[in-house]
Amino acid sequence: MNSFAGPAVRCVLAGLAWAGAAATVLPAGRVRTVLAAVAVLAVPGTALVLRCRWPARSRYAPTAAVVPAVACSAVLSAVAAAPLLLTHTFTARRVLVELAVLTTLLVLPYPRRGGAPPPPPPPPPPIGIAHR
């Protein structure tokens, strides 16, 4: 994760995603609309973009991520909704729950792979020297 994506930011993203899913039980109104819109159009893409590596010490990294975050959210929402549409089981609640699960998985910390690179192989022996 990026340096500006601490545990608090990750918890807020997961919380917003689940708040959007929980908003489906509210009566129709502004709060329900805003929570669902944020959960669909901003949260999953932001969680995905936070997984990307940004240039070190770039002070514009958080604001430069806005457009990719919204674009990724739109794509992830379409990918979540497509199977439900094709199987005739689409509901807004199901899509929001799928996006909340996906967002939660994206914001979970994961171990870094690799660590230190392997040492370089030993150089070949010089030509013309006999080995014993």
Side-chain angles (χ1 to χ4, degrees):
M1 292 273 172
N2 293 310
S3 60
F4 58 89
V9 172
R10 294 193 308 256
C11 287
V12 166
L13 285 173
L16 282 172
W18 286 105
T24 58
V25 298
L26 296 174
R30 186 170 291 161
V31 173
R32 179 179 175 176
T33 304
V34 168
L35 284 174
V38 167
V40 169
L41 295 175
V43 174
T46 303
L48 183 63
V49 168
L50 288 178
R51 290 269 184 199
C52 300
R53 297 189 189 275
W54 293 98
R57 306 282 185 215
S58 173
R59 68 180 200 176
Y60 299 110
T63 54
V66 171
V67 172
V70 172
C72 289
S73 288
V75 169
L76 290 173
S77 299
V79 168
L84 296 175
L85 285 170
L86 294 174
T87 58
H88 304 289
T89 58
F90 177 86
T91 64
R93 180 177 293 156
R94 285 183 180 155
V95 172
L96 287 168
V97 168
E98 282 185 10
L99 291 173
V101 169
L102 178 66
T103 301
T104 302
L105 292 175
L106 285 171
V107 298
L108 290 175
Y110 61 97
R112 300 275 181 194
R113 283 193 248 159
I127 299 176
I129 297 177
H131 293 285
R132 293 183 187 191

